[in-house]
Amino acid sequence: MKRSIVLLLTTILIGSCCFLNPDKFCKRECDSNDENCDNVCVRCFCTNGVFDPDQGEEGIDCGGPCKQDCGARPPVATCNDNIQNGDEEGVDCGGSCPNDCDDDPPIATCNDNIQNGDEEGVDCGGSCPNDCDDDPPPTATCNDNIQNGDEEGVDCGGSCPNDCDDDLPPPTASCDDNIQNGDEAGIDCGGTNCRPCHCFDGIQNGDETSADCGGSCQACHCVSCQQDGDETGIDCGPSCDRKCPQNIDERKELMITNLNVVEDPIEALSTNGSFHIQTLFDRLAVASGRTAKEVMLQFLTSWEDTNLSMNGFNIAARPSIRSKVIDLWKQRDGQAGASDAAWNMNFANAPFRLLAIVNRFDLFDKAGSDVANAGEGRFVFCVVNPDGTGAQFTIIFEYKLPASNEAELIEWAERWHALATAGNFDRNYINALKAITDDFATCANLAQIRTNEVHLEAPWELREFNINCGNSTLFEVSRKLTPDDRFNNTERLRQFIENNADALNQDLVTFEEGDGFLAGKVTTPFPPRQFFWNAPGLSFDNTLARHRLSFNTCNGCHGGETQTDFTHIDPRNAGSEAQLSGFLEGICVDDPLTNIGRFFDDLRDRAVILEKFSQPSLESIREMDVSSIVRDRRNRTH
């Protein structure tokens, strides 16, 4: 479907009184000259469940311009959204709420860009550590091609050693380094060399002929979800910002699922092979002198913990881990009924199957010339059912690729790219891959282990673990970039999206521990394809910000935003190769609210990035070629 708002919505917008007046919505279509139009159109703020006094409401969705009489509709107090509404006498207290306002004072979150609790301003005053009269002391970096801190110019003056009167080379806009530098008007946009910033806000503005395309933005055929114009692939090719990769073998360099590899008798099926799950646990255990059994058992029994909470949210136990995984393994070992302590765990019988080895170089952490890592390398396994079939339970080991400078970054890209010519999934290829994985699969490099499952019980649940290499202890952590489930379709989420829309559009928003927002658990109701994050009364201008927030969450990306049935790499049976999601291999997905089509082909985008860094002399790979892709994955963790 064309992404063009004009083409998509013309039949809806023309002649509709409600869309000619954006603060309304229609119960049925009517002409703007229809004298009965007001009888079938209702203002949006009159149905959003929030008291909007600035719109003239006298209560929640009643009085003033709303048709509902407040006398006939008592105000509703939510009592748990950290906002004073309904008949509350304070924030979430008094009126019909169970909490008395004389009890504990309301909670100030202090870091969610919303004034709540006893804050005297946005995230300041009251019980917050920041005084509303204070400004954070400016920091001049002096070497990042940005004017910041007390600099009087770009990297000069103030506390910098360079005087702004000295001759300095003109600043350069890089357009794809996640930093606003040179003459960029925003991060990687605007100025002389980069696309205008209005090309990335999800609405039609500036000289665009449709949302974010036409005029000074890329051609609209580049966002049409089909191969047209001068494209050489769907929405990629010559005049489009996104380029089609020219010389990357995705299934050898990026997503390795070939059975010769994942069922290799030496490296994948032997317990001392580099791709076997015992080897990965051995390497986690050896750092502290523990055994692989001890680390594995502590990992599995964490699902039995009935006292687990994260970021203020309780995480319910899933005790069937005992019967569906632990006891099954004991039976395979011929030790049914043995206690955990007495169990002689045999990893040759471990109920896990390797699905894929994955190159996530695209997640590299680079700002300007500063490099923190070269992305990730991953092993993906599934749990195996008693009958040998793959269970809906995947375990993903995600390791950082260590790099501290651009030369090491490029070296990792070149090593992955060299797999294309290392062999046809033969012993030479497997040995080359083993050399790569042995260099990153260590305890020190483990970023996290993630699990996706509905095998233990419904609904689908995602968990995340970090490790303390000092004692080889895996421990659960909050789920990144994902609010707690309770905030979906709430006023608080609407406020967050609208207050942070620009940052969300640029993928610059993160959630922090202790903010009362970041999820302790992530679940996805059935069917996952119908799940997405939304908020009542969200303005049309912020629908892209809604999508970016939802897409970057664990359950949004594994659900409705990509039309995925929760796993991007599906569990497999022995002798069958794992199947991949449309998000990875190519799919057009209509936005659940606007019906604007978005084409996803994540392996292709990863290939373009790998191609740029593994073949820096390739003339066709320019800064603009990867800027839009890099921009779209600034916050990516999946």
Side-chain angles (χ1 to χ4, degrees):
M1 179 179 288
K2 296 283 186 181
R3 190 165 185 249
S4 168
I5 293 178
V6 174
L7 292 178
L8 283 170
L9 302 181
T10 296
T11 57
I12 299 176
L13 301 183
I14 300 301
S16 169
C17 67
C18 299
F19 282 102
L20 290 174
N21 298 280
D23 62 346
K24 297 182 177 182
F25 76 90
C26 283
K27 294 181 179 177
R28 70 166 175 79
E29 196 72 28
C30 64
D31 186 85
S32 59
N33 295 320
D34 188 341
E35 63 182 5
N36 294 317
C37 185
D38 281 342
N39 294 325
V40 295
C41 293
V42 179
R43 296 178 186 272
C44 289
F45 60 77
C46 295
T47 61
N48 64 5
V50 178
F51 179 38
D52 297 299
D54 56 327
Q55 301 287 355
E57 285 185 352
E58 298 166 8
I60 295 179
D61 298 342
C62 64
C66 302
K67 293 182 173 60
Q68 179 67 44
D69 186 345
C70 288
R73 177 183 296 179
V76 177
T78 55
C79 305
N80 62 358
D81 60 359
N82 219 15
I83 300 172
Q84 182 176 352
N85 47 25
D87 63 346
E88 294 173 1
E89 299 166 5
V91 176
D92 296 339
C93 65
S96 56
C97 295
N99 298 323
D100 193 292
C101 292
D102 294 330
D103 296 337
D104 293 335
I107 298 173
T109 54
C110 304
N111 61 1
D112 60 357
N113 213 19
I114 299 173
Q115 182 177 351
N116 47 25
D118 62 347
E119 295 173 0
E120 299 166 5
V122 175
D123 296 338
C124 65
S127 56
C128 295
N130 299 322
D131 193 295
C132 293
D133 295 329
D134 293 340
D135 289 318
T139 301
T141 54
C142 305
N143 61 359
D144 60 358
N145 214 16
I146 303 172
Q147 181 176 350
N148 48 24
D150 63 347
E151 294 173 2
E152 299 166 4
V154 175
D155 295 339
C156 65
S159 55
C160 296
N162 299 322
D163 193 295
C164 291
D165 294 332
D166 296 338
D167 291 332
L168 294 173
T172 301
S174 56
C175 303
D176 73 341
D177 61 357
N178 294 339
I179 298 175
Q180 182 178 348
N181 47 24
D183 62 349
E184 293 173 359
I187 295 178
D188 296 338
C189 65
T192 305
N193 299 321
C194 311
R195 291 285 190 198
C197 294
H198 66 74
C199 297
F200 308 104
D201 60 7
I203 58 177
Q204 182 180 347
N205 50 17
D207 61 350
E208 298 166 4
T209 57
S210 187
D212 293 347
C213 67
S216 54
C217 305
Q218 67 176 329
C220 288
H221 70 75
C222 296
V223 288
S224 65
C225 277
Q226 58 187 346
Q227 184 175 341
D228 50 9
D230 61 350
E231 297 169 0
T232 53
I234 297 177
D235 293 348
C236 70
S239 64
C240 298
D241 284 356
R242 266 180 162 81
K243 298 303 173 185
C244 303
Q246 302 174 39
N247 193 29
I248 297 293
D249 188 329
E250 295 175 2
R251 302 313 290 266
K252 284 186 175 181
E253 304 174 48
L254 296 170
M255 178 65 65
I256 303 158
T257 58
N258 187 277
L259 291 180
N260 288 349
V261 176
V262 298
E263 293 189 354
D264 176 59
I266 297 175
E267 301 300 343
L269 302 183
S270 172
T271 55
N272 61 0
S274 287
F275 309 157
H276 196 278
I277 199 166
Q278 175 169 356
T279 298
L280 302 186
F281 271 90
D282 279 339
R283 291 173 178 173
L284 299 182
V286 71
S288 67
R290 298 180 74 193
T291 66
K293 173 195 171 180
E294 290 174 319
V295 181
M296 171 64 83
L297 198 56
Q298 181 252 323
F299 170 62
L300 294 177
T301 55
S302 65
W303 274 269
E304 296 180 314
D305 190 342
T306 59
N307 297 309
L308 186 62
S309 64
M310 197 74 56
N311 204 24
F313 303 112
N314 292 328
I315 301 174
R318 292 198 161 191
S320 63
I321 189 76
R322 174 65 56 175
S323 60
K324 292 185 176 181
V325 180
I326 299 173
D327 288 347
L328 170 63
W329 192 347
K330 290 179 180 180
Q331 291 170 13
R332 287 176 169 226
D333 285 347
Q335 301 173 61
S339 67
D340 289 351
W343 176 23
N344 183 20
M345 183 183 287
N346 184 353
F347 274 84
N349 298 320
F352 306 105
R353 178 174 293 140
L354 180 63
L355 304 179
I357 298 173
V358 186
N359 167 14
R360 293 307 308 272
F361 177 83
D362 62 294
L363 298 178
F364 65 83
D365 189 349
K366 177 179 181 290
S369 61
D370 295 330
V371 175
N373 60 66
E376 293 181 356
R378 298 179 174 180
F379 290 88
V380 185
F381 295 84
C382 73
V383 169
V384 178
N385 285 313
D387 62 1
T389 57
Q392 294 294 318
F393 189 152
T394 59
I395 303 172
I396 309 171
F397 292 74
E398 302 178 355
Y399 298 89
K400 293 297 183 185
L401 304 177
S404 58
N405 54 57
E406 289 181 332
E408 293 174 348
L409 181 73
I410 291 172
E411 181 182 0
W412 275 109
E414 291 174 338
R415 292 182 69 186
W416 285 108
H417 180 52
L419 291 174
T421 55
N424 190 26
F425 300 111
D426 54 15
R427 184 54 51 194
N428 288 335
Y429 176 89
I430 292 171
N431 287 340
L433 178 60
K434 165 185 162 61
I436 291 175
T437 62
D438 283 349
D439 280 350
F440 69 69
T442 67
C443 187
N445 291 330
L446 183 67
Q448 58 270 326
I449 294 176
R450 290 185 178 153
T451 63
N452 305 341
E453 61 84 19
V454 72
H455 180 58
L456 302 182
E457 62 182 72
W460 279 100
E461 184 182 70
L462 299 102
R463 297 195 178 204
E464 184 170 335
F465 299 80
N466 287 169
I467 191 165
N468 180 339
C469 290
N471 57 19
S472 297
T473 299
L474 286 162
F475 56 94
E476 287 202 47
V477 295
S478 56
R479 297 10 169 193
K480 304 302 179 285
L481 297 176
T482 306
D484 188 78
D485 300 343
R486 73 185 66 185
F487 294 115
N488 199 18
N489 293 303
T490 64
E491 169 62 11
R492 182 175 178 187
L493 186 63
R494 183 191 70 80
Q495 287 188 11
F496 182 87
I497 292 173
E498 296 196 343
N499 289 343
N500 296 278
D502 289 343
L504 285 166
N505 289 340
Q506 298 183 71
D507 282 335
L508 296 174
V509 169
T510 60
F511 305 120
E512 302 295 335
E513 299 287 347
D515 63 3
F517 208 48
L518 187 65
K521 64 179 178 64
V522 173
T523 58
T524 306
F526 187 84
R529 285 174 181 259
Q530 295 182 11
F531 175 85
F532 60 95
W533 287 87
N534 194 20
L538 196 65
S539 67
F540 184 81
D541 287 354
N542 289 321
T543 53
L544 176 63
R546 181 217 65 80
H547 163 71
R548 297 310 303 177
L549 179 142
S550 184
F551 172 71
N552 280 322
T553 64
C554 297
N555 41 13
C557 180
H558 285 257
E561 296 295 342
T562 62
Q563 285 298 287
T564 299
D565 289 323
F566 206 74
T567 53
H568 290 302
I569 303 174
D570 289 343
R572 69 178 184 89
N573 298 337
S576 299
E577 192 167 336
Q579 300 300 300
L580 306 182
S581 68
F583 167 71
L584 290 175
E585 294 196 295
I587 187 174
C588 188
V589 178
D590 291 344
D591 186 286
L593 298 184
T594 67
N595 289 329
I596 293 173
R598 296 185 178 94
F599 184 70
F600 297 105
D601 188 344
D602 211 59
L603 283 180
R604 184 187 70 186
D605 287 348
R606 298 177 196 180
V608 172
I609 293 176
L610 183 65
E611 189 168 55
K612 170 184 167 124
F613 286 91
S614 64
Q615 303 166 77
S617 61
L618 197 62
E619 290 184 1
S620 63
I621 302 299
R622 308 182 307 275
E623 296 298 332
M624 182 61 75
D625 294 345
V626 299
S627 61
S628 60
I629 300 174
V630 172
R631 181 183 297 107
D632 284 349
R633 58 189 62 222
R634 286 185 182 130
N635 256 358
R636 286 279 292 277
T637 58
H638 43 258

